[in-house]
């Protein structure tokens, strides 16, 4: 009973954390106690806030956050959606990166459901199911995100897509059903490079940006 309560508290904290980081801006596995659908927060993922008056060129101010070759796509996106703010979006993407990874490591299908689109969620769930069938549990930890940079941005009709490259260090351990370590180490973090794409219908009343594609970077 105590374990269930603790896990539920952890799950609630993570959801509240995402809301506090992203929601106010209007803008690889463990399972917590399930939450009812009406209890899950309606957090806005990666929704950028309005650009402040006098802030100038958002692309120019975002030095280092946009890779060479991605500026034109970002400018087109800003022209279509003046509320899009590059620094704030990147900070939100970093928070979402952490939340998605931790949900996947825990095996939290519900959390992944509102952070990812259908295709990405299905891929994660397939991997979680395979892991559970083998009795494996991931005891992973995101040590730090060294870099997050927009590498591509596009607007196809109403659908905006922004791809970011994340460079991060992850400490990873895989345990068997008896809790015995079968792979990894918590003392030796592994460097990873991922490219994640987030998408959103800019004319939709739904302000959420969702993870729509993952790839190695």
């Amino acid at each position: 009973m105590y374990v269930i309560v603790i896990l539920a508290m952890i799950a609630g904290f993570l959801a509240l954390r995402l809301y506090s980081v992203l929601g106010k801006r209007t803008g690889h596995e463990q399972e917590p106690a399930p939450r009812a659908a009406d209890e899950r927060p309606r957090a806005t993922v990666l929704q950028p806030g309005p650009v402040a008056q006098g802030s100038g060129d958002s692309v120019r101010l975002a030095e280092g956050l946009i890779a060479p070759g991605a500026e034109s796509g970002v400018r087109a996106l800003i022209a279509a959606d003046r509320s899009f703010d590059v620094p704030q979006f990147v900070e939100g993407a970093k928070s979402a990166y952490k939340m998605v990874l931790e949900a996947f490591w825990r095996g939290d299908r519900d959390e992944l459901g509102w952070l990812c689109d259908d295709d990405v969620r299905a891929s994660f769930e397939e991997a979680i199911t395979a892991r559970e069938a083998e009795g494996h549990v991931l005891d992973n930890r995101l040590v730090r995100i060294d870099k997050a940079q927009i590498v591509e941005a596009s607007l196809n009709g109403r659908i905006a897509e922004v791809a970011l490259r994340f460079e991060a260090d992850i400490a990873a351990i895989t345990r068997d059903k008896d809790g015995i370590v079968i792979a990894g180490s918590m003392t030796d973090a592994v460097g990873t490079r991922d490219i994640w794409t987030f998408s959103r219908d800019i004319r939709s009343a739904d302000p959420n940006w969702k993870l729509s594609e993952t790839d190695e970077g």
Side-chain angles (χ1 to χ4, degrees), residues 134-148:
E134 294 179 350
H136 293 172
V137 174
L138 295 189
D139 185 9
N140 294 0
R141 178 170 59 90
L142 178 61
V143 178
R144 61 180 169 272
I145 299 175
D146 295 315
K147 185 176 183 179

Side-chain angles (χ1 to χ4, degrees), residues 12 14-16 19 35-44 111 114:
L14 289 173
L16 181 61
Y19 179 81
R35 291 169 290 172
D38 58 355
E39 294 177 350
R40 291 195 297 272
R42 298 298 186 265
T44 53
E111 190 102 338
W114 56 269

Side-chain angles (χ1 to χ4, degrees), residues 133-213:
E134 294 179 350
H136 293 172
V137 174
L138 295 189
D139 185 9
N140 294 0
R141 178 170 59 90
L142 178 61
V143 178
R144 61 180 169 272
I145 299 175
D146 295 315
K147 185 176 183 179
Q149 184 181 56
I150 295 175
V151 294
E152 186 176 355
S154 63
L155 187 62
N156 302 309
R158 299 168 46 154
I159 305 302
E161 293 187 336
V162 182
L164 301 95
R165 176 181 289 110
F166 294 95
E167 297 180 10
D169 292 333
I170 294 175
I173 284 182
T174 301
R175 302 181 186 274
D176 65 14
K177 62 182 179 181
D178 299 318
I180 299 174
V181 176
I182 59 177
S185 168
M186 291 300 286
T187 59
D188 297 322
V190 178
T192 64
R193 290 167 61 95
D194 298 309
I195 294 179
W196 284 17
T197 301
F198 298 90
S199 62
R200 175 179 176 264
D201 182 342
I202 63 172
R203 296 184 188 176
S204 172
D206 183 356
N208 290 348
W209 288 77
K210 289 196 172 186
L211 178 61
S212 57
E213 186 176 351

Side-chain angles (χ1 to χ4, degrees), residues 100 104 112-113 115-128 195-199 210-215:
V100 171
F104 176 64
L112 292 171
L115 289 168
C116 310
D117 73 3
D118 292 342
D119 290 340
V120 174
R121 186 196 71 240
S123 295
F124 281 142
E125 289 183 350
E126 183 179 355
I128 291 170
I195 294 179
W196 284 17
T197 301
F198 298 90
S199 62
K210 289 196 172 186
L211 178 61
S212 57
E213 186 176 351
T214 63
D215 200 357

Side-chain angles (χ1 to χ4, degrees), residues 48-65:
V51 179
Q53 290 289 340
S55 62
D57 188 335
S58 178
V59 175
R60 178 175 56 80
L61 292 178
E63 182 177 358
L65 298 182

Side-chain angles (χ1 to χ4, degrees), residues 84-105:
F84 185 83
D85 178 72
V86 173
Q88 193 167 354
F89 183 89
V90 172
E91 284 304 307
K94 289 163 67 175
S95 294
Y97 180 75
K98 182 176 186 292
M99 297 280 304
V100 171
L101 285 179
E102 290 180 344
F104 176 64
W105 295 336

Side-chain angles (χ1 to χ4, degrees), residues 9-87:
M9 292 175 63
I10 293 173
F13 172 77
L14 289 173
L16 181 61
R17 175 71 175 174
L18 180 63
Y19 179 81
S20 66
V21 172
L22 305 176
K24 291 182 179 179
R25 295 174 177 169
T26 56
H28 259 318
E29 305 175 87
Q30 298 166 318
E31 287 193 43
R35 291 169 290 172
D38 58 355
E39 294 177 350
R40 291 195 297 272
R42 298 298 186 265
T44 53
V45 180
L46 300 175
Q47 175 63 13
V51 179
Q53 290 289 340
S55 62
D57 188 335
S58 178
V59 175
R60 178 175 56 80
L61 292 178
E63 182 177 358
L65 298 182
I66 306 173
E71 293 93 339
S72 60
V74 172
R75 290 183 188 278
L77 179 52
I78 292 174
D81 181 2
R82 296 300 299 177
S83 71
F84 185 83
D85 178 72
V86 173

